[in-house]
Amino acid sequence: MDNKMIVYDKKYYAVMANDIVKGKQEMTLMEARIIRLLITQVVKQDPELKTYTCRIQDLADFLNITSDNIYRNISDICDNLLKRLVRVGTKNPKEPWKKFQWIQLAEYDGKGNITLKLSEQIAPFVLELNSWFTQYQLENILGFNSFYAIRIYEILKCDSGITRDEQSEFTYKLDYLREIFNCTEKYKNINDFIKKVIEISVREINDKSDILVSYELKKTSRKFTDIIFTVGINGRNYIKRRNESILNAK
């Protein structure tokens, strides 16, 4: 088993197939951050997936959480990660779909180190990707306090990466977003969904990422059915990060 130490670098890219980005996902914010951190460790030329080990204290420092919380919860976090599924495809019984685990191994050595490995089934979706993939630097999602912000960011990066325009519009069915975010039961009222998912996510994306997002709602028969996102480059954050890089290099 090829084992490596996790490298903590916010500039590393999370690269994954569009099928995963557009798939149905359910996890906590902490779990999402750990999964994305693992994905950034994958090198395109790797012949196979590796296992990765990290000190729990280093993980807490990198994710900006208290070590007491992560030491207390790491076992439960790993239990949940082992249960989380990647769901690729649709609910249409006449169309293909696939479900598999995000990770296949979680191990604690009793000395403050945790070892994780992505599932073998996910390998074709993160290794040797030459087309139809989404990529972004990890720093763009690490500051988010909402799992839904990560998901909306990834979906918009996915679609804007296909168009490659400086500013683009994308329209999604609200029911579609609620489905792939797995919150159809949590936010049955559409106003709650807009307030607690869309508005919070857009605010976080604009404050902390490399893109700027605005949105408007579209009605069909006096009912909100669609959302139109306008996506552009966040020049303010780009300049801020460039200046930070210059200062750190001195």
Side-chain angles (χ1 to χ4, degrees):
M1 184 169 60
D2 196 354
N3 188 52
K4 297 182 68 175
M5 293 298 295
I6 283 181
V7 178
Y8 299 99
D9 193 331
K10 295 179 180 180
K11 300 294 184 182
Y12 275 18
Y13 281 85
V15 183
M16 64 193 92
N18 292 348
D19 283 343
I20 288 182
V21 174
K22 293 295 187 73
K24 183 177 178 180
Q25 296 184 24
E26 178 186 11
M27 62 184 74
T28 66
L29 176 65
M30 175 64 67
E31 293 161 8
R33 287 172 171 172
I34 292 174
I35 289 292
R36 274 66 179 177
L37 175 60
L38 280 176
I39 290 174
T40 66
Q41 307 302 299
V42 177
V43 178
K44 180 181 179 181
Q45 293 77 18
D46 284 344
E48 59 185 15
L49 294 174
K50 303 180 184 334
T51 58
Y52 296 95
T53 299
C54 66
R55 292 180 61 244
I56 295 176
Q57 180 63 59
D58 292 339
L59 183 64
D61 292 341
F62 186 70
L63 298 181
N64 196 29
I65 57 177
T66 63
S67 56
D68 287 345
N69 284 341
I70 197 167
Y71 271 104
R72 182 174 61 251
N73 299 325
I74 192 64
S75 179
D76 290 338
I77 291 171
C78 289
D79 284 348
N80 289 334
L81 283 173
L82 287 163
K83 297 174 185 176
R84 299 304 188 190
L85 298 178
V86 181
R87 298 175 176 90
V88 176
T90 72
K91 295 172 64 177
N92 189 331
K94 296 182 179 181
E95 295 182 9
W97 54 264
K98 181 181 289 188
K99 300 180 183 182
F100 48 90
Q101 293 169 293
W102 283 98
I103 71 170
Q104 69 179 48
L105 169 71
E107 181 179 352
Y108 178 63
D109 67 355
K111 300 177 182 179
N113 301 300
I114 196 79
T115 296
L116 301 168
K117 184 180 182 181
L118 293 167
S119 71
E120 292 296 336
Q121 289 76 20
I122 207 173
F125 298 90
V126 296
L127 283 175
E128 299 182 1
L129 298 174
N130 296 311
S131 60
W132 306 111
F133 63 85
T134 299
Q135 65 175 2
Y136 59 86
Q137 288 182 303
L138 189 61
E139 64 182 340
N140 288 300
I141 59 99
L142 278 182
F144 293 168
N145 294 310
S146 165
F147 168 63
Y148 302 118
I150 294 178
R151 295 295 291 123
I152 291 177
Y153 174 84
E154 289 178 341
I155 289 168
L156 293 177
K157 289 291 282 189
C158 174
D159 287 336
S160 60
I162 293 172
T163 65
R164 301 192 183 281
D165 294 330
E166 287 193 4
Q167 183 166 302
S168 305
E169 284 189 358
F170 305 102
T171 301
Y172 306 97
K173 293 290 184 184
L174 289 169
D175 284 346
Y176 162 77
L177 293 180
R178 294 169 74 191
E179 175 65 25
I180 65 172
F181 296 167
N182 201 41
C183 60
T184 53
E185 295 299 318
K186 188 174 182 180
Y187 299 114
K188 293 183 178 181
N189 184 300
I190 198 66
N191 291 325
D192 289 340
F193 178 74
I194 296 299
K195 182 178 180 180
K196 298 180 180 179
V197 175
I198 301 299
E199 289 185 359
I200 291 175
S201 297
V202 167
R203 183 167 62 249
E204 291 211 323
I205 289 170
N206 289 340
D207 287 345
K208 302 170 183 176
S209 83
D210 59 341
I211 60 175
L212 280 176
V213 181
S214 60
Y215 74 92
E216 60 179 297
L217 300 173
K218 178 182 176 182
K219 282 185 176 181
T220 303
S221 300
R222 299 195 298 179
K223 177 183 178 183
F224 288 124
T225 56
D226 300 79
I227 184 167
I228 304 169
F229 289 108
T230 301
V231 184
I233 298 171
N234 192 335
R236 178 189 61 195
N237 281 345
Y238 172 79
I239 293 172
K240 177 182 177 182
R241 290 174 182 175
R242 184 188 64 183
N243 292 339
E244 288 175 348
S245 296
I246 292 173
L247 288 173
N248 291 334
K250 291 182 178 180

